[in-house]
């Protein structure tokens, strides 16, 4: 099957010229080609370049999209979500509007544990149905790959139910999904006074089972005050690594207890959040080559200050942005909105925001050899936007500017 995108007004390739990630000034180079064509065969990009250079003889039975009115970008990679959950927490949202904090609500037994109760009480079939709707809506906003974390089960059955749901959804839905085990998302109520026993349960029972069945590619821990300590996180992540999982850490979000330094120490693929990261820890991340996944929507939604994106980029850390879609700290999965917030509040440039939402996000999932840019050999995940210039995408916020989504070379139809 062939598809030709012809005369594209502006092709934003996000090419790293053979590299798998962008850092420093490289994040500002989007590899733009004006009046371009992209030729796709069997779901893979075969050729990109100026439209007049396209060799027509490559084309046999290609469908053609006349793309004169469109800017083309790589499909967005949402590298940090908690998309699989039941229920909702608008009451907590209202409490926060009246001045209560996320931490205070959690200390009173709300927050993550509220969603754990609702998710434990929902069947796999029902959970998947809820998730499918969300995945459809995400794709309409240009996301073509999403990471999903478990973490609303907090016991063996509940966590496995979540990971099996993600595994099945990946087969049934066009969205590419990356499963992450986040059994250490909060201390389960049953272990309130003996959290170390839960850590043991994760290390001795849950993780080995998940690894054996290959149910997760990454292991993550919410390492923060009131959740898991650095020592507990080290224990879980070291075990996960020994079982062949790759590592992510929810780090320096509510407080800085040393979680991002642990990410560097363990050579984690990514450290995520980082609202409270300091300069020394930034240097450590840079040395370790760990990707910083920043979550602008969380700072916006909780009002707790933004990560030091400029400091991270200027120090040479690869920065990605993601939605963190979840019912507590960011009830949005709009990647273009995350880009707007990154530009207006974190002083990232529109170019950096696009690199962060595509190639670098793919790198934070160890998938940037296949995804995140529009280059020959890569999977044809492409979005077309009817806008005058790529900078318009983050600029005109609160509306959906995505006109067409191409996933593995197929144009998706939305009902
Ligand atoms: O990334 N920080 C921990 N977990 C989520 C929040 C999950 C929830 O509130 O349900 C986050 O912010
Ligand atoms: Fe999160």
């Amino acid at each position: 099957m062939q598809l030709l995108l012809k005369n594209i007004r502006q092709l934003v390739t996000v090419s790293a010229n053979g590299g798998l990630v962008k850092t420093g000034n490289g994040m500002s180079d989007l590899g733009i080609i004006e009046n371009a064509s992209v030729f796709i065969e069997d779901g893979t990009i075969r050729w990109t370049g100026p439209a007049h250079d396209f060799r027509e003889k490559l084309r046999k039975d290609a469908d053609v999209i006349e793309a004169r009115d469109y800017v083309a970008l790589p499909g967005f990679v949402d590298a940090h979500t908690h998309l699989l959950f039941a229920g909702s927490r608008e009451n907590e949202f209202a409490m926060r509007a009246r001045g209560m904090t996320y931490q205070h609500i959690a200390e009173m037994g709300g927050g993550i544990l509220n969603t754990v109760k609702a998710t434990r009480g929902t069947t796999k079939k029902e959970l998947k149905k809820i998730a499918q709707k969300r995945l459809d809506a995400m794709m309409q906003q240009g996301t073509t790959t999403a990471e999903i974390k478990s973490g609303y089960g907090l016991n063996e059955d509940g966590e496995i139910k979540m990971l099996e749901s993600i595994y099945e959804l990946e087969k049934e839905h066009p969205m590419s999904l990356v499963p992450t085990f986040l059994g250490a998302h909060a201390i389960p109520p049953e272990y309130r006074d003996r959290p170390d026993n839960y850590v043991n349960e994760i290390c001795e029972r849950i993780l080995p089972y998940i690894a054996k069945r290959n149910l997760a590619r990454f292991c993550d821990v919410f390492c923060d005050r009131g959740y898991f300590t650095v020592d507990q996180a080290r224990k879980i992540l070291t075990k996960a690594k020994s079982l062949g999982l790759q590592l992510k850490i929810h780090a320096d979000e509510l407080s800085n207890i040393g979680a991002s330094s642990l990410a560097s120490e363990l050579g984690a693929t990514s450290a995520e959040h980082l609202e409270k990261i300091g300069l020394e820890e930034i240097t450590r991340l840079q040395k370790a080559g760990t990707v910083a996944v920043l979550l602008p929507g969380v700072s916006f939604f909780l009002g707790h200050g933004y990560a030091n994106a400029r400091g991270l980029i200027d120090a040479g850390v690869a920065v990605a942005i993601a939605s963190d879609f979840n019912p507590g700290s960011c009830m949005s999965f709009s990647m273009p909105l995350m880009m707007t917030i990154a530009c207006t509040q974190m002083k990232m440039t529109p170019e950096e925001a696009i690199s962060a939402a595509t190639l670098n996000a793919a790198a934070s999932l160890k998938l940037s050899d296949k995804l995140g840019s529009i280059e020959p050999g890569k999977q044809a995940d492409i979005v077309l936007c009817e806008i005058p210039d790529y900078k318009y995408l983050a600029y005109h916020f609160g509306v959906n500017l995505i006109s067409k989504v191409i996933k593995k070379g197929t144009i998706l139809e939305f009902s």
Side-chain angles (χ1 to χ4, degrees), residues 55-342:
R55 284 182 292 132
E56 286 290 335
K57 67 171 188 258
L58 282 176
R59 167 180 162 181
K60 295 185 186 87
D61 56 349
D63 289 333
V64 178
I65 296 182
E66 169 52 59
R68 196 179 303 280
D69 295 331
Y70 297 122
V71 172
L73 300 122
F76 307 126
V77 176
D78 194 345
H80 178 143
T81 85
H82 306 254
L83 172 133
L84 204 62
F85 62 86
S88 56
R89 309 219 302 263
E90 61 277 22
N91 289 339
E92 295 179 4
F93 174 72
M95 284 154 84
R96 284 194 287 104
R98 286 192 213 98
M100 227 181 245
T101 63
Y102 181 85
Q103 288 95 313
H104 192 185
I105 293 168
E107 279 156 20
M108 295 186 334
I112 294 172
L113 294 186
N114 248 335
T115 303
V116 169
K117 207 186 283 165
T119 307
R120 280 182 180 175
T122 303
T123 62
K124 184 161 85 177
K125 192 166 165 211
E126 191 53 35
L127 255 188
K128 280 175 59 187
K129 214 163 114 192
I130 300 168
Q132 251 145 9
K133 271 198 183 163
R134 291 180 186 146
L135 291 171
D136 289 347
M138 272 171 114
M139 285 204 110
Q140 291 185 40
Q141 304 218 32
T143 299
T144 49
T145 298
E147 182 250 24
I148 305 181
K149 300 175 195 293
S150 68
Y152 292 124
L154 305 188
N155 58 27
E156 192 168 1
D157 288 352
E159 289 296 305
I160 289 164
K161 177 174 74 181
M162 290 191 75
L163 291 171
E164 284 179 348
S165 302
I166 302 167
Y167 183 87
E168 291 171 23
L169 285 164
E170 150 70 21
K171 302 232 171 307
E172 296 160 8
H173 197 278
M175 183 85 78
S176 301
L177 298 177
V178 177
T180 294
F181 171 63
L182 178 58
H185 192 196
I187 312 292
E190 301 79 9
Y191 286 90
R192 213 189 127 108
D193 303 317
R194 45 189 185 108
D196 282 328
N197 291 19
Y198 182 53
V199 172
N200 288 341
E201 166 85 3
I202 289 179
C203 292
E204 282 154 32
R205 283 174 61 94
I206 309 181
L207 261 174
Y209 180 82
I210 285 167
K212 193 169 90 199
R213 285 191 53 204
N214 216 356
L215 281 174
R217 218 174 299 161
F218 289 91
C219 178
D220 191 347
V221 174
F222 186 12
C223 180
D224 214 312
R225 194 159 292 144
Y227 295 85
F228 292 85
T229 65
V230 169
D231 284 342
Q232 290 167 337
R234 185 185 286 108
K235 186 166 175 193
I236 293 169
L237 294 167
T238 305
K239 177 74 184 188
K241 197 171 174 180
S242 77
L243 291 166
L245 279 86
Q246 310 196 65
L247 310 183
K248 296 185 168 293
I249 308 185
H250 272 69
D252 307 353
E253 177 187 0
L254 308 170
S255 56
N256 182 343
I257 60 167
S260 66
S261 297
L262 179 66
S264 312
E265 173 193 319
L266 297 177
T269 306
S270 60
E272 323 210 332
H273 278 283
L274 306 179
E275 287 88 335
K276 304 284 189 295
I277 196 170
L279 293 178
E280 264 178 49
E281 293 92 68
I282 289 180
T283 309
R284 289 194 192 116
L285 281 187
Q286 192 276 333
K287 286 201 181 114
T290 297
V291 180
V293 179
L294 307 185
L295 309 165
V298 173
S299 300
F300 176 74
F301 204 64
L302 296 185
H304 69 186
Y306 289 84
N308 183 1
R310 281 263 57 87
L312 285 154
I313 294 172
D314 295 344
V317 177
V319 167
I321 56 177
S323 73
D324 196 12
F325 174 56
N326 75 78
S329 69
C330 185
M331 192 63 181
S332 169
F333 42 63
S334 165
M335 287 298 281
L337 176 59
M338 301 309 141
M339 289 185 222
T340 302
I341 303 172

